[in-house]
Amino acid sequence: MPRAWQQPLPDMPALPPARAWARLRPPPGYEDQWRRLADAALELDRGPDELAAEGLDELAAARGWKPATVALYSKVARYGGLALPLPVTPEPDPPQLDLRPLTRIRAEDPEHLRSVAWCSLALGWPAPVGTFRSLRRDQVRATARRLLITTDDGEWAVAGAVTAWHAWEATRAAFPALAASPWVLPALRRGPGLDSRVGGRLSNQALQATFTKHVRSTVGYLRATVTPSRREAVEELAAAYRLLSYDSYRRLALAAGAPPVGARGVVRAARVAARSARAGG
């Protein structure tokens, strides 16, 4: 006997954004990034369904996220079950860029010296940000001219970073929490997390923010100390630096001939090198 026809159920009212986010579980290993994504969405009164339908464009504009950050949160959202399209991380433009100003010591501030040591290492050892986050001090050994880095993936000799490394090591030795920290790039202050502490391991997001801050301070220093004859060149460099993220810094170092540390970014770096060759030819 066929069933009697029934009226369709009315559309269920949407949950308030805060309750909708609270019902979702963050993907394992990405709890902090998921929380930041939810906080950014709630600032614009967006629930998970709206975010999946509209994408991250409005959130990125409101927060000033760079393309690499948008790619990170898109990945986290997909891991959490939200069907967001994964944006393509743009290749660095211009294909060649003077990165040496980011490796020069200008002050004795620990945050500055930590960033200079990182950029100096990354220029010759362009590892992903997650690798630097987990890099321990016992994996780095200094010789007279080079730094020797040993990981599970191999060994590398990095030239040009010894001065920055010794300056950073000497400064952190004056602070007991930093001197006792096993990490190459430790936290300099407590963060919002309950387990955050001085000398602890930084998150990927914190390292990305650290790099961006260092780039901005470098631009400010270059503009403040430039001679009139070089002002135009410095302004061109500052305009390129405004679009610089650590991922693009790493790909530029790879394109300039630094040995690859992992598979990530190598193909894009090869394309950048090819574009540079065509432009020079």
Side-chain angles (χ1 to χ4, degrees), residues 96-102 104 230 237 241 244 252:
Q96 291 182 334
L97 189 63
D98 184 10
L99 303 175
R100 291 172 298 174
L102 297 170
R104 291 171 181 158
R230 296 197 66 251
L237 186 64
Y241 274 15
L244 194 65
L252 286 167

Side-chain angles (χ1 to χ4, degrees), residues 144-231:
R145 297 183 179 181
R146 299 175 185 273
L147 295 178
L148 304 179
I149 302 177
T150 304
T151 69
D152 294 338
D153 297 323
E155 296 182 356
W156 291 266
V158 181
V162 174
T163 300
W165 175 261
H166 285 311
W168 167 229
E169 284 288 300
T171 296
R172 68 186 294 174
F175 303 91
L178 298 180
S181 174
W183 309 112
V184 168
L185 303 176
L188 302 180
R189 59 186 65 87
R190 290 193 60 183
L194 296 177
D195 58 346
S196 177
R197 59 183 178 84
V198 176
R201 186 164 64 159
L202 288 171
S203 65
N204 289 1
Q205 178 70 14
L207 282 177
Q208 296 280 8
T210 295
F211 181 85
T212 300
K213 183 177 179 180
H214 180 57
V215 170
R216 291 174 179 173
S217 66
T218 301
V219 168
Y221 174 81
L222 293 176
R223 284 175 167 166
T225 58
V226 66
T227 59
S229 60
R230 296 197 66 251
R231 184 168 300 278

Side-chain angles (χ1 to χ4, degrees), residues 91-99 102 122-123 126 211 240-241 243-258 265 268-269 272-273 275-276:
E91 296 179 8
D93 190 19
Q96 291 182 334
L97 189 63
D98 184 10
L99 303 175
L102 297 170
L123 201 59
F211 181 85
Y241 274 15
L243 304 176
L244 194 65
S245 66
Y246 176 73
D247 286 341
S248 56
Y249 180 91
R250 176 176 170 268
R251 290 198 300 273
L252 286 167
L254 286 167
R268 284 196 179 119
V272 172
R275 289 167 56 198
S276 301

